[in-house]
């Protein structure tokens, strides 16, 4: 094959089983330096690998490709007239050149956008779904159901015992009169995929009682949706379909915005180890976590079949699926630990956009923490129920209030940012701070009791979104009125959230040599005296007095020797 930019340059042709036949024409230029599959192919068969793109700060004379292809944007090298260009500039240059170079009056190439999304078939041959509101008439063809007959209701007396679409067998529902000519006709028995409903239901929710699909004024006031949250496998297609519907509804005057959602957040999945009995061949089979016992000795984990004691191979951690039996039955978890524990563990184990590895030990640890919270609050509640919440101003009571107000402020920010695991980590820290004071509440003074009452209410607010059942019990035990689910999020004292100490970098003749931690309100004389006692400063002065000590309050200290 001759190169399109140099007819004297003949290129070899290779046939590989990884070329995607529905991409382009099925024949593509191989680029082993910039595509990992091409690189693996070249290495396997000893083909030359010439780098054609290097990092922007790379050296063309020494840059080489190792075991990994360089797939980032960069600077063109070993590419003749493209050398020195960025990858974006090179793309533009090649496109212009191919468009300008004609063969028999036809350009050798043209720009084209390939859309990988295929046509969407919205109909399903099943009962579950919205009826497609059309009627098939032998004389009139496909006739829409009159508006006054909408919505089409599915029949309730349905038979699911036989295979196939039960609507095809429902004579009284299927057979109707044609709205045009009155002759016998047939309803469409396919139903719409549920994606059709979920692609615009949030728009319908803004005006559920309107005869028209939307009230544009109300829809425009509420929409777009502020935040979309969904699993990655579901969200990708659903997001695309929702965008299609939104564009169509704008074109038909039902809404005036272009995009359905302002923000997209894709959550991770719950994953679990896999277990296989009998090896990887046809004689082996997957077993569920409930069928095995995990044993650990000298740091080595081993799985055995509980019933027989046979060794079970511990496999990779994968998405929970029925086929590999690595599924945990929610009913078992709820019966053993409760919904609050399950939810708290899933949210605490990792950031919500990453997968959560479900482990029995992890759930047990969370369950112990949940029990600890209830024990601390329920045992202290009789002494706190009639106490008015108030921030402490001195000593230990002030420390309790500082911790509670800082946590409340930080958890609110974490929840707004969907950083649930960070919020839960702060809840753990606050419980550790409150554990001893709550256990000694019977002998505490009035100031400490007021601080503990406020801190306990703040703590309950913090975990209420994750553990609503426990929160309501703690709320009631502490003597609060109504339900915490209906209570406003409490305010915090900004002064109590400020750190009482500040760490100042200490420079000697303009170079950082040490750090000094002092009270935030420390005066300059105290800071200068503390700086002179730092080991690095003592060593630099070598018994001499400093020429000058410059203190920039709460920022930096510079010692001039």
């Amino acid at each position: 094959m001759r190169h399109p930019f140099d007819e004297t340059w003949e290129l070899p042709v290779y046939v590989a089983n990884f070329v995607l036949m529905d991409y382009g024409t099925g024949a593509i230029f191989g680029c082993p330096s910039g595509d990992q599959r091409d690189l693996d192919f070249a290495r396997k068969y000893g083909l030359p690998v010439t780098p054609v793109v290097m990092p922007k700060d790379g050296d063309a004379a020494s840059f080489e490709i190792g075991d990994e292809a360089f797939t980032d944007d960069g600077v063109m090298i070993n590419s003749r007239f493209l050398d020195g260009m960025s990858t974006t500039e090179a793309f533009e240059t090649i496109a212009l050149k191919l468009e300008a170079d004609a063969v028999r009056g036809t350009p050798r190439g043209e720009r084209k956008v390939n859309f990988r999304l295929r046509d969407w078939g919205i109909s399903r041959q099943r009962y579950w779904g919205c009826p497609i509101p059309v009627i098939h008439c032998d004389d009139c063809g496909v006739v829409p159901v009159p508006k006054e007959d909408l919505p089409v209701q599915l029949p309730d007396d349905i038979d699911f015992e036989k295979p196939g679409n039960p609507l095809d067998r429902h004579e009284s529902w299927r057979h109707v009169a044609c709205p045009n000519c009155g002759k016998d006709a047939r309803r469409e028995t396919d139903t719409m995929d549920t994606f059709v409903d979920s692609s615009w239901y949030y728009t319908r929710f803004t005006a559920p009682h309107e005869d028209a699909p939307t009230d544009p004024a109300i829809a425009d006031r509420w929409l777009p949706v502020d935040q979309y949250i969904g699993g990655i496998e579901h969200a990708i297609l659903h997001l695309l379909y929702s965008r299609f519907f939104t564009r169509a509804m704008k074109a038909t005057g039902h809404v005036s915005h272009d995009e359905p959602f302002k923000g997209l957040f894709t959550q991770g999945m719950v994953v679990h180890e896999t277990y296989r009995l009998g090896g990887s061949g046809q004689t082996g089979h997957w077993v569920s976590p409930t069928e095995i016992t995990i044993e650990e000795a000298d740091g080595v984990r081993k799985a055995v079949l509980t019933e027989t004691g046979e060794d079970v191979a511990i496999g990779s951690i994968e998405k929970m699926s029925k086929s590999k039996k690595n599924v945990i039955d929610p009913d078992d978890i709820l019966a053993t630990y409760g919904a609050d524990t399950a939810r708290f563990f899933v949210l605490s184990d990792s950031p919500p956009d990453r997968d959560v590895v479900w482990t029995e030990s992890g759930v047990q640890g969370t369950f112990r923490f949940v029990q600890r919270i209830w024990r601390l609050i329920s045992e202290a509640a009789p002494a706190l129920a009639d106490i008015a919440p108030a921030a402490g101003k001195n000593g230990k009571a002030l420390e309790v209030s500082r911790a509670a107000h800082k946590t409340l402020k930080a958890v609110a920010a974490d929840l707004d940012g969907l950083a649930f695991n960070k919020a839960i980590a702060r809840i753990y820290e606050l419980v550790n701070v409150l554990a001893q004071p709550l256990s000694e509440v019977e002998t505490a003074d009035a100031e400490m009791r007021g601080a503990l009452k406020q801190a306990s209410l703040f703590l309950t607010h913090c975990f209420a979104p994750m553990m609503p059942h426990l929160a309501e019990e703690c709320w009631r035990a502490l003597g609060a009125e109504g339900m915490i689910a209906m209570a406003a999020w409490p305010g915090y004292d900004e002064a109590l959230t400020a750190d009482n100490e500040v760490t100042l970098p200490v420079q000697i003749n303009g170079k950082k040599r040490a750090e000094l931690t002092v009270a935030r309100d420390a005066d300059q004389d105290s800071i200068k005296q503390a700086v002179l006692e730092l080991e690095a400063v003592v060593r630099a002065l070598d018994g001499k007095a400093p020429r000058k000590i410059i203190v920039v309050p709460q920022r930096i200290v510079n010692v001039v020797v």
Side-chain angles (χ1 to χ4, degrees):
M1 174 181 174
R2 298 188 186 279
H3 196 287
F5 295 147
D6 185 352
E7 292 194 356
T8 66
W9 188 3
E10 291 189 350
L11 302 176
V13 175
Y14 299 94
V15 178
N17 61 359
F18 62 80
V19 173
L20 304 178
M21 298 306 292
D22 58 352
Y23 181 84
T25 61
I28 59 174
F29 264 101
C31 184
S33 69
D35 184 282
Q36 190 61 45
R37 293 178 304 177
D38 291 346
L39 179 61
D40 295 340
F41 184 87
R43 295 299 189 207
K44 181 174 181 178
Y45 295 103
L47 306 179
V49 177
T50 302
V52 294
V53 181
M54 70 174 183
K56 293 179 180 179
D57 56 353
D59 179 13
S62 59
F63 181 69
E64 295 181 351
I65 299 296
D67 294 330
E68 292 187 9
F70 181 73
T71 58
D72 295 332
D73 292 336
V75 178
M76 302 298 297
I77 58 175
N78 302 320
S79 300
R80 302 189 183 185
F81 64 93
L82 301 175
D83 286 349
M85 296 183 185
S86 68
T87 47
T88 302
E89 293 170 338
F91 178 89
E92 185 71 19
T93 300
I94 291 173
L96 291 172
K97 188 175 180 64
L98 289 173
E99 288 172 344
D101 188 8
V103 177
R104 300 187 190 92
T106 301
R108 300 185 68 180
E110 63 179 359
R111 301 167 194 254
K112 186 176 182 181
V113 177
N114 287 328
F115 294 97
R116 299 192 179 186
L117 190 67
R118 294 178 174 84
D119 290 341
W120 176 27
I122 69 165
S123 64
R124 299 291 185 269
Q125 296 78 44
R126 63 186 180 199
Y127 173 81
W128 305 109
C130 285
I132 297 174
V134 298
I135 294 172
H136 299 274
C137 175
D138 291 337
D139 292 340
C140 303
V142 178
V143 181
V145 173
K147 184 176 180 180
E148 60 269 18
D149 293 338
L150 294 177
V152 176
Q153 298 286 335
L154 289 172
D156 295 326
D157 54 336
I158 205 73
D159 177 18
F160 293 108
E161 297 300 323
K162 299 177 182 179
N165 185 352
L167 295 176
D168 284 329
R169 301 188 299 270
H170 199 291
E171 296 296 323
S172 61
W173 183 86
R174 183 188 181 196
H175 294 283
V176 293
C178 173
N180 284 351
C181 66
K183 294 182 179 179
D184 291 341
R186 303 169 305 282
R187 290 190 188 278
E188 173 59 61
T189 57
D190 281 6
T191 58
M192 285 184 277
D193 182 11
T194 51
F195 263 120
V196 176
D197 310 320
S198 60
S199 294
W200 76 288
Y201 70 88
Y202 45 86
T203 306
R204 179 61 180 170
F205 280 1
T206 62
H209 304 297
E210 288 294 316
D211 289 336
T214 68
D215 181 328
I218 296 178
D220 291 340
R221 181 164 67 89
W222 283 100
L223 300 173
V225 174
D226 292 306
Q227 183 68 58
Y228 181 107
I229 301 176
I232 185 67
E233 292 182 333
H234 172 83
I236 291 176
L237 285 178
H238 186 232
L239 181 61
L240 287 172
Y241 297 145
S242 297
R243 296 182 75 191
F244 293 161
F245 264 72
T246 300
R247 302 293 174 91
M249 286 190 291
K250 181 181 180 182
T252 54
H254 292 101
V255 298
S256 63
H257 51 275
D258 292 308
E259 295 291 345
F261 314 117
K262 291 181 181 178
L264 171 67
F265 186 88
T266 52
Q267 65 200 38
M269 295 181 292
V270 181
V271 296
H272 198 287
E273 281 183 332
T274 53
Y275 308 102
R276 192 172 179 86
L277 180 66
S280 58
Q282 294 183 351
T283 57
H285 62 274
W286 302 103
V287 295
S288 71
T290 58
E291 298 177 272
I292 66 160
T293 300
I294 299 290
E295 302 172 350
E296 187 167 349
D298 299 327
V300 179
R301 296 174 70 246
K302 177 183 177 182
V304 297
L305 198 63
T306 304
E307 185 176 347
T308 64
E310 297 176 83
D311 287 340
V312 175
I314 299 177
S316 58
I317 297 174
E318 299 186 29
K319 178 181 68 173
M320 288 189 182
S321 65
K322 293 181 180 178
S323 61
K324 294 187 177 179
K325 294 190 176 181
N326 62 334
V327 177
I328 301 297
D329 189 341
D331 290 340
D332 294 340
I333 297 300
L334 298 184
T336 305
Y337 301 109
D340 282 359
T341 296
R343 184 165 35 241
F344 203 68
F345 169 69
V346 168
L347 294 176
S348 68
D349 195 56
S350 65
D353 57 334
R354 300 181 186 175
D355 293 344
V356 175
V357 180
W358 187 278
T359 63
E360 190 70 19
S361 60
V363 181
Q364 291 172 353
T366 301
F367 183 68
R368 288 192 294 270
F369 180 71
V370 172
Q371 296 300 309
R372 184 188 185 199
I373 291 177
W374 173 242
R375 184 173 63 254
L376 287 171
I377 291 183
S378 63
E379 291 178 356
L384 296 177
D386 297 327
I387 301 295
K393 300 183 181 300
N394 304 285
K396 295 290 186 181
L398 177 59
E399 292 180 13
V400 165
S401 293
R402 284 189 182 278
H405 283 253
K406 284 183 179 179
T407 301
L408 185 69
K409 178 182 179 180
V411 167
D414 290 335
L415 294 179
D416 286 343
L418 304 179
F420 305 121
N421 60 311
K422 291 182 180 179
I424 290 175
R426 301 185 203 279
I427 292 171
Y428 271 87
E429 293 173 359
L430 182 57
V431 169
N432 289 336
V433 171
L434 298 181
Q436 184 174 347
L438 282 174
S439 65
E440 299 171 353
V441 68
E442 294 289 348
T443 59
D445 58 23
E447 183 181 11
M448 175 59 88
R449 290 194 181 195
L452 285 173
K453 175 65 173 287
Q454 185 186 68
S456 297
L457 293 173
F458 282 8
L459 172 64
T460 306
H461 271 286
C462 287
F463 65 70
M466 304 90 159
M467 297 190 290
H469 304 91
L470 176 63
E472 294 296 349
E473 292 296 328
C474 292
W475 186 253
R476 184 173 62 177
L478 289 168
E481 295 183 359
M483 295 180 65
I484 192 172
M486 304 300 293
W489 187 265
Y492 57 84
D493 186 338
E494 191 68 54
L496 292 175
T497 65
D499 289 327
N500 196 35
E501 294 182 334
V502 61
T503 299
L504 304 176
V506 178
Q507 293 185 344
I508 300 176
N509 291 342
K511 293 186 177 181
K512 182 182 175 182
R513 299 299 185 189
E515 290 183 341
L516 175 68
T517 301
V518 295
R520 181 174 290 275
D521 56 356
D523 58 62
Q524 293 209 8
D525 290 339
S526 301
I527 294 174
K528 290 179 180 179
Q529 185 59 43
V531 165
L532 291 174
E533 297 174 3
L534 292 173
E535 182 181 347
V537 176
V538 172
R539 189 166 54 249
L541 292 174
D542 193 22
K544 302 175 185 178
R547 290 174 56 191
K548 191 183 294 184
I549 300 179
I550 304 169
V551 178
V552 180
Q554 300 185 19
R555 294 288 301 276
I556 195 170
V557 180
N558 198 353
V559 180
V560 182
V561 178

